[in-house]
Amino acid sequence: DSGVTQTPKHLITATGQRVTLRCSPRSGDLSVYWYQQSLDQGLQFLIQYYNGEERAKGNILERFSAQQFPDLHSELNLSSLELGDSALYFCASSPRGTSGGRTDTQYFGPGTRLTVL
Amino acid sequence: DAKTTQPPSMDCAEGRAANLPCNHSTISGNEYVYWYRQIHSQGPQYIIHGLKNNETNEMASLIITEDRKSSTLILPHATLRDTAVYYCIVRVYQTGANNLFFGTGTRLTVIP
């Protein structure tokens, strides 16, 4: 158990709909990351938040957005869903994710499996 | 981040040591080597990381060559539960961006 929790575990929805995935980081971790894993793309970084602020962006679609709240939990919002958005969505957290010249290991949650029909 | 090359698959007999190689010939001086594994569709699990010295923890050992162009992850006594995809990642620690770039990894199958 990494200490990172994600809800829900499974989500089935229809095309065009909007969903929200939730992530609670490990106690004390300030950074949250979102990754997408689809069958044909492997694990891809979407976005990082550090202490409530967006820190880095990867291959995140404009239909997707995220935020990190004052209690440090994060939500990933996916809208206008398409069949191709079906994937596993993982959240990870790390203590820092910021400068300092030190390593900052990420710990992953169990993921949310999204199925778009 | 430097690119890594791993064999797509490997087999290992249960109880034997599993040695997973990773080539990172373009690694820079400030880039760390990280290893994660993913069992079936679970979240990636952190295993170990290192910069230039060999490292050991309760899960595995990491051997980094002196020129740092390659490394080997060693699982000393592989069990069936070690069957997973193992990812070798090299990354520089820099201000802000801390995301990991996962390649295709090595699928390790532990055989009874």
Side-chain angles (χ1 to χ4, degrees):
Chain A
D1 183 1
S2 67
V4 178
T5 60
Q6 290 186 248
T7 56
K9 284 188 178 178
H10 302 277
L11 199 48
I12 301 174
T13 188
T15 54
Q17 294 298 305
R18 172 191 168 96
V19 297
T20 298
L21 313 184
R22 181 187 169 105
C23 167
S24 293
R26 296 185 321 153
S27 176
D29 283 0
L30 298 178
S31 267
V32 169
Y33 313 77
W34 287 96
Y35 291 81
Q36 178 193 55
Q37 185 174 34
S38 54
L39 278 175
D40 58 348
Q41 291 287 335
L43 266 157
Q44 292 211 318
F45 167 71
L46 295 178
I47 198 165
Q48 174 198 356
Y49 276 81
Y50 171 72
N51 205 20
E53 293 188 2
E54 182 184 303
R55 185 56 64 102
K57 254 183 177 177
N59 299 319
I60 188 167
L61 299 171
E62 284 193 13
R63 300 183 284 110
F64 295 1
S65 65
Q67 53 185 326
Q68 186 180 26
F69 295 87
D71 67 353
L72 301 177
H73 90 271
S74 177
E75 293 181 355
L76 179 67
N77 301 297
L78 316 175
S79 61
S80 303
L81 285 167
E82 302 174 359
L83 296 177
D85 297 327
S86 296
L88 280 163
Y89 291 84
F90 292 105
C91 167
S93 73
S94 69
R96 296 178 290 279
T98 184
S99 63
R102 297 166 293 175
T103 58
D104 193 38
T105 300
Q106 293 180 37
Y107 295 89
F108 284 76
T112 293
R113 182 177 291 278
L114 174 65
T115 302
V116 183
L117 301 176
Chain B
D1 290 345
K3 184 180 174 179
T4 63
T5 305
Q6 299 178 253
S9 63
M10 292 181 63
D11 292 341
C12 177
E14 189 178 16
R16 305 296 291 268
N19 297 282
L20 292 93
C22 178
N23 183 288
H24 31 80
S25 57
T26 59
I27 194 170
S28 303
N30 59 352
E31 287 186 312
Y32 286 79
V33 180
Y34 273 80
W35 283 83
Y36 282 80
R37 73 181 182 183
Q38 188 174 24
I39 297 171
H40 195 41
S41 295
Q42 298 176 23
Q45 179 187 24
Y46 165 75
I47 301 173
I48 198 167
H49 74 279
L51 183 61
K52 41 187 167 181
N53 298 322
N54 298 338
E55 302 287 344
T56 295
N57 63 20
E58 65 279 2
M59 286 184 69
S61 294
L62 175 60
I63 309 297
I64 303 174
T65 58
E66 196 168 336
D67 63 7
R68 303 210 324 120
K69 293 182 185 296
S70 65
S71 61
T72 301
L73 178 74
I74 301 173
L75 307 178
H77 306 287
T79 70
L80 298 179
R81 281 189 273 189
D82 292 322
T83 292
V85 178
Y86 287 76
Y87 297 97
C88 169
I89 302 164
V90 296
R91 59 169 305 279
V92 60
Y93 190 83
Q94 58 190 15
T95 301
N98 190 35
N99 46 291
L100 300 172
F101 292 91
F102 287 83
T104 52
T106 296
R107 182 173 296 278
L108 174 69
T109 303
V110 179
I111 302 167

